[in-house]
Amino acid sequence: MTADAAAQTARLIALGVHDLAGLTATAFADLVPDAPEGDGVLVVSPSLVPASDLAPLLTKGDQPGFVVTDMTDLADFVPLPDEVVPDAPLYWITDIERGDEMAGWSPDEALPAIRERGRHPLTVSEGISWLLQEPERLERNRCFMTIASRKPKAKGLDARTPAIWISNGTGRDGRERKGAPKVGWCWAGNRHTWLGFASAAARN
């Protein structure tokens, strides 16, 4: 996606992101930094709107997105210490890849591989922001983890890693949510054949 600041800002305003931030459309637009060169996506920082509030704006067909019931602590998932995220309410990520080639890898295996390529794994807010602009990027059996977001514990990290995929409408999701975008989690050491690892070339 070409980093068109006006179009992406208009998209977020049409979705009501400015209302969630408690801003007028004009005030929201004033926060948008200049677009970078090349392909980029405008990210809504959790400091402006929490990821749990953005998730219901995701859509697949006529189904709105949701956060799984056993992830009420989503706000506690913050960027990994080595991931430098701009201290701004809105910022850009560039050259995003879904990471399909890493499907079947675990987060513990994927993280060093992504970094060895000089890329940055996405945070959950970055992943949601990408899908708000390009909902077609979420495809069944071609979904992705956002492993730059982790929950710190007294010693180390919580073993869960956030991911975004499509609900099958089973279990606690509820049949009415079949086909809906789903913000959930996977264990850092587990492998899933239908989840890649989204990453970006840069944040700015």
Side-chain angles (χ1 to χ4, degrees), residues 95-106 109-111 113-115 117 119-120 130 141-145 192-200:
D95 186 24
I96 305 168
E97 296 177 358
R98 195 167 55 187
D100 294 352
E101 73 282 0
M102 290 184 177
W105 294 33
S106 72
E109 293 165 336
L111 180 60
I114 291 170
R115 287 177 167 168
R117 295 172 57 203
R119 296 181 61 81
H120 304 277
W130 182 31
N141 299 321
R142 293 289 185 273
C143 302
F144 59 88
M145 297 193 199
H192 297 279
T193 59
W194 41 274
L195 287 170
F197 296 86
S199 67

Side-chain angles (χ1 to χ4, degrees), residues 32-49:
V32 177
D34 292 340
E37 294 292 329
D39 295 340
V41 166
L42 184 61
V43 175
V44 181
S45 169
S47 66
L48 185 65
V49 180

Side-chain angles (χ1 to χ4, degrees), residues 16-22 28 44-55 57 89-90 125:
V17 175
H18 64 297
D19 289 328
L20 295 175
F28 180 85
V44 181
S45 169
S47 66
L48 185 65
V49 180
S52 58
D53 290 344
L54 286 180
L57 302 182
L90 298 166
S125 289

Side-chain angles (χ1 to χ4, degrees), residues 82-164:
D82 293 339
E83 292 300 321
V84 179
V85 176
D87 183 15
L90 298 166
Y91 63 92
W92 293 92
I93 53 177
T94 58
D95 186 24
I96 305 168
E97 296 177 358
R98 195 167 55 187
D100 294 352
E101 73 282 0
M102 290 184 177
W105 294 33
S106 72
D108 287 342
E109 293 165 336
L111 180 60
I114 291 170
R115 287 177 167 168
E116 284 172 9
R117 295 172 57 203
R119 296 181 61 81
H120 304 277
L122 297 195
T123 67
V124 65
S125 289
E126 290 167 351
I128 293 172
S129 294
W130 182 31
L131 295 177
L132 291 179
Q133 298 291 345
E134 300 185 66
E136 69 279 2
R137 296 294 186 176
L138 193 68
E139 301 178 75
R140 190 165 293 282
N141 299 321
R142 293 289 185 273
C143 302
F144 59 88
M145 297 193 199
T146 53
I147 61 174
S149 292
R150 295 293 293 271
K151 180 179 178 178
K153 297 177 70 175
K155 294 183 179 179
L157 299 170
D158 187 283
R160 295 170 294 165
T161 58
I164 308 173

